[in-house]
């Protein structure tokens, strides 16, 4: 199964899932062509297998009409040449090892505390971020230095619980900032400035961060137009396409509008605590690491810590996990297209889903 067949796959869905897909997505397929001079043939054949493979390239464009997130898929791009040699996994492992005994290895003396002190979990302790994104900006420093150490559902749940306790402590200090956001930038390629494993938490005032608020509004508008739950329909489509798996009740799927390579989305039930999706997040992490992921970004979207007058009733805990590519590659994985137009994707969500579904049987 391939993303290039997405239009046919949607057409073949059962009626309810097909209707959901047609409500949410605009999908189109086009062919890009080129004419290669004979002099380029050996180079093209070496890199892409054959001249035919590049002479006519299938490109699938997917737009979520509700959120206006979109992706352009062309699997040929996975084979395109890179101008710098890729750093080996061994070099990343060496960097992780050589940074042991950094300040995060002794957070009590190596990191500042928040004005409410530190929150400790079984597997980590919080610190106050030195250069803050927002009024309260904390760090959850993992006990383990190695950010690539395996993390099962219980470990993720412990981190989520510690981070939430931090958020509640911050909210008690600043009751005008009920909007809590959790992120995990793993390694420099993903924006992490410290190698030692850590998540970050913020609370903010006024309204949730724009991308979270935009999703809430989009889902409400969808409900107002169709009398359907956007998140339920999102799952219906991905499950119908064979892109999803449920893990301890959480809906885990390789999205067809990934923000960048191999994005997996994890949805819980509306009103549920994010710990209910911890096993799902762990399964997503394990699947992507199984595909060679080293650097990743993870975000958690949850309703505010207290009622804010807006309708969050149908907003579930949402986690998004994305592979940021080889830390040894000097070519950045995002450019003008991703910043200003739509995401350009090489990895096929159907390949990601196959690995996700092969995970531990449940
Ligand atoms: Zn460390």
């Amino acid at each position: 199964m391939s993303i290039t067949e997405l239009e046919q796959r949607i057409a073949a869905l059962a009626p309810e899932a097909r209707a959901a897909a047609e409500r949410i997505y605009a999908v189109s397929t086009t062919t890009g062509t080129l004419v290669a001079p004979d002099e380029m043939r050996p180079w093209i054949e070496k890199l892409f297998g054959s001249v035919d493979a590049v002479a006519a390239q299938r490109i699938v464009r997917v737009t979520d009409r509700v959120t206006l997130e979109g992706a352009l898929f062309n699997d040929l791009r996975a084979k395109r040449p890179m101008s710098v040699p890729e750093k080996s996994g061994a070099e990343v492992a060496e960097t992780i090892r050589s940074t042991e005994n950094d300040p995060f290895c002794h957070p009590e003396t190596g990191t500042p505390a928040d004005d409410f002190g530190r929150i400790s979990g079984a597997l980590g302790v919080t610190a106050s971020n030195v250069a803050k994104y927002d009024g309260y900006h904390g760090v959850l420093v993992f006990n383990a230095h190695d950010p690539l150490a395996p993390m099962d559902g219980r470990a993720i749940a412990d981190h989520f619980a510690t981070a939430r306790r931090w958020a509640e402590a911050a909210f008690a200090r600043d009751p005008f900032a009920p909007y809590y956001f959790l992120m995990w930038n793993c390694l420099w390629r993903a924006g992490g400035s410290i190698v030692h494993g850590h998540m970050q938490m913020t609370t903010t005032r006024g309204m949730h961060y724009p991308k979270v608020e935009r999703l809430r509004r989009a889902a409400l508008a969808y409900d107002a137009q169709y009398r359907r739950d956007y998140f339920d329909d999102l799952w219906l489509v991905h499950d119908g396409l064979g892109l999803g798996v449920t893990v301890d009740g959480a809906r885990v799927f390789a999205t067809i509008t990934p923000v960048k390579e191999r994005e997996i989305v994890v949805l819980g039930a509306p009103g549920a605590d994010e710990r209910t999706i911890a096993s799902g997040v762990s399964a997503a992490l394990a699947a992507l690491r199984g595909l060679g992921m080293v650097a990743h970004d993870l975000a958690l979207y949850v309703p505010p810590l207290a009622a804010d007058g807006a309708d969050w009733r149908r907003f579930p805990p949402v986690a998004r996990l994305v592979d940021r590519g080889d830390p040894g590659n000097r070519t950045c994985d995002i450019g003008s297209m991703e910043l200003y137009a739509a995401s350009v994707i090489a990895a096929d969500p159907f390949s990601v889903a196959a690995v996700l579904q092969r995970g531990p049987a449940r």
Side-chain angles (χ1 to χ4, degrees), residues 42-116:
W43 181 83
I44 289 171
E45 282 165 2
K46 188 176 159 213
L47 281 162
F48 300 106
S50 71
V51 174
D52 286 349
V54 298
Q57 309 172 24
R58 295 258 283 174
I59 294 142
V60 178
R61 180 179 168 192
V62 185
T63 303
D64 182 324
R65 305 179 214 260
V66 185
T67 63
L68 292 179
E69 291 172 294
L72 294 152
F73 294 94
N74 179 353
D75 64 359
L76 191 64
R77 291 188 59 79
K79 299 173 193 146
R80 78 191 195 282
M82 289 291 173
S83 59
V84 282
E86 302 206 342
K87 198 172 184 176
S88 69
E91 284 180 68
V92 173
E94 171 54 24
T95 301
I96 292 170
R97 198 205 55 74
S98 70
T99 52
E100 278 175 13
N101 295 314
D102 57 0
F104 280 20
C105 281
H106 47 89
E108 290 290 337
T109 54
T111 66
D114 283 295
D115 56 8
F116 52 79

Side-chain angles (χ1 to χ4, degrees), residues 106-299:
H106 47 89
E108 290 290 337
T109 54
T111 66
D114 283 295
D115 56 8
F116 52 79
R118 296 182 192 272
I119 310 292
S120 295
L123 300 173
V125 63
T126 68
S128 188
N129 203 305
V130 175
K132 297 184 185 307
Y133 297 163
D134 216 319
Y136 277 93
H137 180 184
V139 182
L140 172 54
V141 179
F142 301 166
N143 292 349
H145 173 81
D146 184 355
L148 304 182
M151 207 173 283
D152 62 13
R154 288 174 64 173
I156 298 277
D158 180 70
H159 290 320
F160 281 0
T162 309
R164 179 167 281 271
R165 283 167 55 217
W166 176 94
E168 284 165 353
F171 179 51
R173 290 284 176 142
D174 182 2
F176 294 105
Y179 303 100
Y180 159 50
F181 182 66
L182 174 80
M183 72 207 103
W184 179 8
N185 301 340
C186 182
L187 295 174
W188 54 94
R189 175 89 178 172
S193 55
I194 306 263
V195 169
H196 187 118
H198 66 284
M199 294 178 179
Q200 297 179 71
M201 305 77 70
T202 60
T203 57
T204 198
R205 296 182 175 198
M207 70 163 75
H208 215 314
Y209 291 117
K211 292 182 181 180
V212 190
E213 175 63 12
R214 188 177 63 188
L215 176 60
R216 186 188 71 83
R217 291 186 191 186
L220 281 181
Y222 185 80
D223 177 72
Q225 187 174 357
Y226 300 112
R227 292 283 141 214
R228 298 278 308 185
D229 183 88
Y230 170 72
F231 300 101
D232 285 345
D233 274 0
L234 204 57
W235 170 249
L236 195 60
V237 173
H238 285 86
D239 186 40
L241 289 169
L243 290 167
V245 64
T246 57
V247 181
D248 289 353
R251 296 161 161 182
V252 187
F253 58 90
T255 172
I256 56 173
T257 52
V259 67
K260 204 51 204 176
E261 303 299 337
R262 285 171 279 274
E263 188 182 25
I264 295 180
V265 174
V266 184
L267 300 177
D273 183 278
E274 62 272 17
R275 276 168 290 188
T276 60
I277 63 169
S279 294
V281 171
S282 172
L285 189 65
L288 295 189
R289 284 181 172 172
L291 283 163
M293 180 179 75
V294 179
H296 67 73
D297 288 308
L298 174 88

Side-chain angles (χ1 to χ4, degrees), residues 5-63:
E5 300 153 36
L6 185 61
E7 281 188 276
Q8 298 93 305
R9 290 279 293 178
I10 287 173
L13 284 172
E16 199 189 355
R18 181 178 171 179
E22 287 169 354
R23 279 191 293 272
I24 298 178
Y25 294 107
V27 181
S28 60
T29 310
T30 188
T31 302
T33 60
L34 57 77
V35 181
D38 286 343
E39 291 82 350
M40 282 190 74
R41 283 183 165 268
W43 181 83
I44 289 171
E45 282 165 2
K46 188 176 159 213
L47 281 162
F48 300 106
S50 71
V51 174
D52 286 349
V54 298
Q57 309 172 24
R58 295 258 283 174
I59 294 142
V60 178
R61 180 179 168 192
V62 185
T63 303

